[in-house]
Amino acid sequence: MMEKIDKRVRAAQFRLRMAKAMEDGKVSQSALARQVGVDRSTISQLLTDDGARLPNAHVVGACASALGVSADWLLSLSDRPESAAELLAGSLSLTEAPRALVDERIFDWHQEAAGYKIRYVPATLPDMLKTRTLLEWEYAPHLGRTADQAIGASEDRLTWMRSAQSDYEIAMPLYEIHSFAHATGYYHGLSLDVRLEQIDHFLSLTEQLYPRLRIYLFDAKRLYSAPVTIFGPLMCVFYAGGHYMAFRDKDRIETFTRHFDTLVREADLTARHFPTHLRQLRAAIGGT
């Protein structure tokens, strides 16, 4: 609920904020008067009148526009001087998501969030945990002759991400790991040798990196999540196929963090049980 402010206090704050905006923007009373379309004496009165009156909405809006601040901020209805459009532009960005392993944008976000907990719902198995053989099977058809070069270039980034001082919580639907193990759906045609190698790689990484790396499996019949990465308190990024949607405002980050924590809390298999489940899958598909 908005805190009620006494009229005199609001008027005094208006004068202070208007004077600050003029000082920050190096705008004189005469210049502001010309932009707003009023006499200089009107601007002078707005800055010096010690009463409780505020200018009309047209003058407030024109002053805000000329000074590059929001009318809400001038009237103490907001603590942020930016306009609504500027706030939206700063809190939401849309960038292309190329068909690549670790593109520069994703790597920049990981570097920015180094040291924070990173929560991750991948679109498939997490690239940072895949074997080179699986990466080649998955990406070579799309990257063509550059596949080997792209995979080689990405390996340093993947190694950095695994070794960064960040905790990783990864939540995946149960069917994803089962589909991979049995080479169905997205993984149709993947050879048994590649699957067994990947399961062994998973087991090795979960043993080496636990508890900094924790993987949870949830039942998609009960829970759903779009692919999303939450970079600590800094941002959350949704993968929408051809683009990333990145949010930086606190409320949305907290909302999607709670969503992720629900996936973890209600997971059918916790990080402690994940290795046992992998061994069971390995045995089921013919591994020794």
Side-chain angles (χ1 to χ4, degrees), residues 14 96 106 180:
F14 173 83
E96 284 194 39
I106 284 285
F180 160 75

Side-chain angles (χ1 to χ4, degrees), residues 33-227:
R34 286 195 298 272
Q35 293 182 62
V36 173
V38 297
D39 293 335
R40 183 185 180 282
S41 61
T42 300
I43 300 299
S44 177
Q45 185 177 10
L46 291 178
L47 292 169
T48 59
D49 188 358
D50 61 358
R53 292 186 60 186
L54 287 165
N56 63 42
H58 171 75
V59 173
V60 172
C63 287
S65 177
L67 295 171
V69 297
S70 73
D72 282 352
W73 180 73
L74 284 178
L75 295 171
S76 298
L77 297 174
S78 169
D79 291 329
R80 300 290 298 271
E82 303 95 331
S83 68
E86 290 171 329
L87 287 172
L88 180 61
S91 66
L92 169 64
S93 63
L94 190 67
T95 57
E96 284 194 39
R99 180 62 173 168
L101 288 170
V102 183
D103 62 55
E104 293 299 327
R105 172 60 63 189
I106 284 285
F107 189 52
D108 288 345
W109 286 330
H110 276 271
Q111 289 181 307
E112 183 181 349
Y116 289 112
K117 179 191 288 188
I118 295 176
R119 299 166 170 90
Y120 180 35
V121 180
T124 61
L125 298 180
D127 280 347
M128 64 183 293
L129 304 181
K130 290 174 182 173
T131 63
R132 184 180 181 89
T133 308
L134 180 57
L135 291 171
E136 289 172 349
W137 175 86
E138 186 171 6
Y139 286 95
H142 308 281
L143 301 180
R145 294 180 178 179
T146 64
D148 188 66
Q149 180 181 358
I151 291 169
S154 72
E155 285 181 330
D156 288 343
R157 296 190 180 99
L158 296 173
T159 298
W160 183 92
M161 288 161 61
R162 286 197 293 258
S163 63
Q165 296 304 307
S166 294
D167 284 359
Y168 278 85
E169 283 190 338
I170 298 174
M172 295 188 293
L174 271 164
Y175 72 76
E176 187 69 36
I177 197 74
H178 284 208
S179 179
F180 160 75
H182 295 283
T184 59
Y186 180 83
Y187 303 96
H188 177 72
L190 186 60
S191 72
L192 178 61
D193 287 345
V194 174
R195 286 177 278 147
L196 293 176
E197 179 191 25
Q198 180 63 61
I199 290 176
D200 290 340
H201 187 59
F202 273 145
L203 287 168
S204 175
L205 288 177
T206 52
E207 290 173 1
Q208 291 173 21
L209 301 179
Y210 183 85
R212 285 202 305 110
L213 170 66
R214 300 182 295 280
I215 300 176
Y216 301 84
L217 301 179
F218 61 87
D219 185 354
K221 297 187 185 72
R222 294 188 300 107
L223 303 166
Y224 171 77
S225 179

